[in-house]
């Protein structure tokens, strides 16, 4: 993200009541992980193996949507309360866990499912790091 935008976001977040000061590099890592996971889940949700749609497709689309929403919410911090941010992070982690669990059985036969599962794990890790920073 552009340094000027990050600086402006940081100033806005410091001014919010009840929201701890955000580590902008951690926030950037979380947004990047959400963006990568959204892309991987979208690709995974439309793949076919042996002419059949993979059964992980619905979970992947849900995770892609949640990652996109999480990323947009982090970019629009005005009015975000700590409780709302924690709930969003929890929801994103839950959706990624579900998609990862659905993709893992296909990972050996589908490099796309493997990539998707790995992206979901990275997104969950980034969201967890962000959440832990907020409660510290």
């Amino acid at each position: 993200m552009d340094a000027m935008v990050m600086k402006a976001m940081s100033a806005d977040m410091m001014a919010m009541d009840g929201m701890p000061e955000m580590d902008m590099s951690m926030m950037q890592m979380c947004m990047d992980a959400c963006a990568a996971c959204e892309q991987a889940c979208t690709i995974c949700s439309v793949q076919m193996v042996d002419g059949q749609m993979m059964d992980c497709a619905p979970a992947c689309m849900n995770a892609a949507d949640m990652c996109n929403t999480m990323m947009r919410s982090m970019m629009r911090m005005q009015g975000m309360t700590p409780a709302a941010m924690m709930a969003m992070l929890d929801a994103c982690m839950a959706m990624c866990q579900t998609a990862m669990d659905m993709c893992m059985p296909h990972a050996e036969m589908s490099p796309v499912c493997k990539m998707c599962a790995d992206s979901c794990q990275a997104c969950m890790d980034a969201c967890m790091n962000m959440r832990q920073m907020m409660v510290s």
Side-chain angles (χ1 to χ4, degrees):
M1 188 178 295
D2 183 75
M4 258 177 42
V5 172
M6 292 300 280
K7 185 176 178 181
M9 284 175 68
S10 181
D12 283 347
M13 281 182 243
M14 284 186 235
M16 290 189 295
D17 291 332
M19 186 67 99
E21 183 176 332
M22 290 287 179
D23 177 335
M24 297 312 290
S25 63
M26 189 173 291
M27 180 178 264
Q28 182 64 55
M29 285 188 284
C30 192
M31 285 191 284
D32 290 346
C34 285
C37 189
E38 177 189 19
Q39 291 174 354
C41 285
T42 300
I43 292 166
C44 191
S45 71
V46 297
Q47 82 161 330
M48 297 179 98
V49 173
D50 296 331
Q52 294 192 11
M53 184 70 90
M54 302 297 284
D55 63 353
C56 54
C60 290
M61 280 311 302
N62 289 339
D65 289 345
M66 189 65 225
C67 286
N68 181 278
T69 301
M70 183 75 243
M71 187 175 41
R72 285 190 345 253
S73 295
M74 282 191 286
M75 293 176 71
R76 180 181 56 236
M77 292 296 294
Q78 295 300 94
M80 181 71 81
T81 64
M85 183 70 157
M86 296 261 195
M88 290 287 298
L89 289 165
D90 288 343
C92 192
M93 289 185 290
M95 298 303 281
C96 287
Q97 182 70 57
T98 299
M100 185 178 79
D101 291 347
M102 295 293 293
C103 286
M104 283 311 291
H106 308 295
E108 286 186 27
M109 68 178 164
S110 170
V112 172
C113 279
K114 172 84 171 98
M115 173 192 66
C116 185
D118 291 345
S119 293
C120 286
Q121 182 65 60
C123 188
M124 288 187 300
D125 292 345
C127 287
M128 181 57 71
N129 290 338
M130 184 95 171
R131 194 180 195 296
Q132 288 173 343
M133 180 197 64
M134 290 179 67
V135 295
S136 303

